[in-house]
């Protein structure tokens, strides 16, 4: 996701451009600050269209299929979604940053469950921050391992939290700082085939 350019770029593993799509806007296939992206077993692509408060679904070639969400706090509504992950059972997990929660959906956008809330306790999150009383930054990423556990970058709490697929808290680690194992605004996260977790910090 090229959020600043409001496009999705598809590349080879060596960085050669294959195709790209999207423009700035709120129509189908357009984006406003897109961040998270995930791919299902059929090759369909799901994009967290952050400032449009929705998820958009595309074919691997970038053809629009469907969308869901919309700004709100109700089940299935979103407020600046940022991270996405898909499990082997065909469920999607979305970091609903503005609502400080994780929502679980089917791949057709049907709401399944949610967990979280604003705070610093286990299973609580702080995904957005206000700078100088004006600028709002929304972050938060999510990924899963081969055992089905979910890992969330709890960005402004400067930590990683681990959950079951049903949202049960398992573990957490990290704190504010620049030392080994410490974080400063972590947001991107992924796991390799050996179970090693990689985190990007802002």
């Amino acid at each position: 996701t090229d959020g600043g350019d409001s496009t999705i770029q598809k590349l080879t593993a060596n960085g050669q451009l294959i195709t790209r799509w999207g423009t700035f806007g709120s129509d189908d296939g357009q984006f406003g600050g897109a961040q998270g992206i995930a791919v299902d077993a059929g090759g369909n692509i799901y994009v967290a269209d952050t400032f449009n408060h929705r998820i958009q679904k595309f074919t691997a070639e970038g053809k629009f299929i469907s969308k869901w969400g919309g700004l709100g706090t109700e089940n299935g509504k979103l407020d600046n979604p940022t991270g996405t992950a898909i499990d082997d059972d065909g469920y999607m997990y979305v970091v609903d940053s503005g609502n400080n929660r994780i929502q679980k959906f089917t791949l057709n956008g049907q709401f399944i469950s949610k967990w979280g809330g604003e705070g610093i306790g286990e299973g609580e999150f702080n995904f957005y921050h206000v700078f100088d009383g004006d600028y709002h930054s929304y972050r938060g990423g999510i990924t899963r391992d081969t055992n089905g556990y979910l890992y969330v970058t709890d960005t402004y709490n400067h930590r990683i939290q681990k959950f079951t697929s049903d949202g049960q808290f398992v573990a957490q680690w990290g704190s504010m700082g620049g030392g080994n194992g410490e974080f400063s605004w972590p947001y991107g996260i992924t796991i390799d085939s050996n179970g090693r977790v990689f985190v990007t910090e802002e």
Side-chain angles (χ1 to χ4, degrees):
T1 56
D2 187 358
D5 198 35
S6 297
T7 60
I8 306 300
Q9 296 194 48
K10 182 178 180 180
L11 310 163
T12 67
N14 294 320
Q16 181 179 353
L17 179 69
I18 297 173
T19 186
R20 60 186 290 174
W21 69 90
T23 58
F24 178 77
S26 58
D27 291 337
D28 294 347
Q30 294 184 317
F31 304 103
Q35 291 194 49
I37 191 168
V39 181
D40 68 19
N44 297 308
I45 297 169
Y46 303 75
V47 179
D49 186 6
T50 305
F51 301 137
N52 286 324
H53 314 289
R54 63 186 180 182
I55 303 298
Q56 293 198 69
K57 180 177 180 179
F58 300 89
T59 66
E61 292 73 37
K63 181 180 178 181
F64 174 83
I65 298 175
S66 63
K67 63 186 176 185
W68 70 85
L71 180 61
T73 60
E74 303 89 352
N75 294 342
K77 295 293 186 180
L78 300 166
D79 184 346
N80 289 275
T82 54
T84 56
I86 295 173
D87 68 17
D88 292 338
D89 295 320
Y91 293 106
M92 169 175 246
Y93 304 84
V94 177
V95 178
D96 186 7
S97 294
N99 289 319
N100 286 301
R101 65 187 181 184
I102 307 298
Q103 292 200 67
K104 182 178 180 178
F105 298 90
T106 68
L107 296 184
N108 292 319
Q110 180 182 353
F111 172 82
I112 300 295
S113 63
K114 64 183 178 184
W115 70 88
E118 185 174 4
I120 62 174
E122 295 177 352
E124 296 178 327
F125 304 107
N126 186 3
F127 290 132
Y128 71 91
H129 187 74
V130 182
F131 294 90
D132 299 323
D134 181 30
Y135 173 69
H136 290 67
S137 178
Y138 296 89
R139 292 296 189 188
I142 189 168
T143 192
R144 59 177 296 275
D145 66 19
T146 55
N147 295 315
Y149 290 106
L150 298 165
Y151 300 75
V152 179
T153 52
D154 187 5
T155 302
Y156 296 106
N157 283 327
H158 311 286
R159 64 184 178 182
I160 308 301
Q161 295 199 65
K162 179 179 178 179
F163 300 90
T164 67
S165 60
D166 294 324
Q168 297 298 310
F169 174 84
V170 176
Q172 64 176 331
W173 67 90
S175 60
M176 175 66 173
N180 294 337
E182 296 177 329
F183 300 106
S184 178
W185 302 346
Y187 63 98
I189 187 167
T190 192
I191 298 177
D192 69 12
S193 58
N194 294 314
R196 292 173 293 201
V197 181
F198 297 80
V199 179
T200 55
E201 301 176 77
E202 188 173 333

